[in-house]
Amino acid sequence: MKRSLSLIYVACLAVIGLLVAARPAENEGYRVGDTAIDFKLKNVDGKMVSLVDNKKAKGFIVTFTCNTCPYSVAYEDRIIALQRKYEPQGYPVVAINPNDVTVSPKDSFKDMQKRAKEKKFNFAYLQDETQEITKAYGATRTPHMYVLQKQPDNSLKVMYIGAIDDNSREPENVQKKYLENALDELIAGKEISQSATKAIGCTIKWKQS
């Protein structure tokens, strides 16, 4: 009997191991201070967008977001406001939809175009169809924010990772604007006092193997 239970236990561990291996590990991706890779992804206007092509930018606010997550929808107006405030200061927003459309059909490119038009997005909204960029960055939630700063050699240094603020549901009751505080300190040439926070949102819909 004990032998049978042991075999069942080992089998269960093997299954759990396979399930864990099937999804990206939580500790993969960038940390603050790392150099981020560039990418070329399709925008909702049909054009390919690459960060290095924006010669005027001093850096970027990269957000992994989508059409379907309630948290992402709740933050749309705030992301629009971030673009309005920081693009003139050299830090435009670049939004990336990481979700696999077979798992989340409403995150299709056509639906992205529709949502961008409805909300009048003033920033690039790109599709990471292969999810390679999402995995490289280590994004796990929507929304998941990254602040990048251009270096003298045009590389992109990760300066902040995490949440926009501390209240997804009630923007009027936000107490801590994590992302804005980090950007304001960065732009002022100060050391960022809080460079990482926990991203709050829906889990990314990964391709099924």
Side-chain angles (χ1 to χ4, degrees), residues 37-52:
I37 61 170
D38 192 22
F39 48 75
K40 184 165 283 190
L41 299 173
K42 187 164 69 171
N43 190 19
V44 287
D45 63 3
K47 297 178 181 179
M48 302 301 290
V49 170
S50 177
L51 300 183
V52 296

Side-chain angles (χ1 to χ4, degrees), residues 1-12:
M1 181 66 177
K2 288 183 178 180
R3 178 177 172 79
S4 297
L5 289 173
S6 297
L7 289 172
I8 292 170
Y9 180 71
V10 170
C12 288

Side-chain angles (χ1 to χ4, degrees), residues 69 99 140-142 201-206:
C69 172
N99 285 344
T140 58
R141 303 278 171 176
T142 51
C202 305
T203 56
I204 287 172
K205 306 304 181 285
W206 299 104

Side-chain angles (χ1 to χ4, degrees), residues 33-38 51-52 57-60 148-158:
D34 287 350
T35 298
I37 61 170
D38 192 22
L51 300 183
V52 296
K58 299 175 182 177
F60 301 91
L148 311 179
Q149 184 187 44
K150 273 188 183 178
Q151 302 300 295
D153 63 356
N154 282 325
S155 63
L156 298 166
K157 185 177 180 180
V158 180

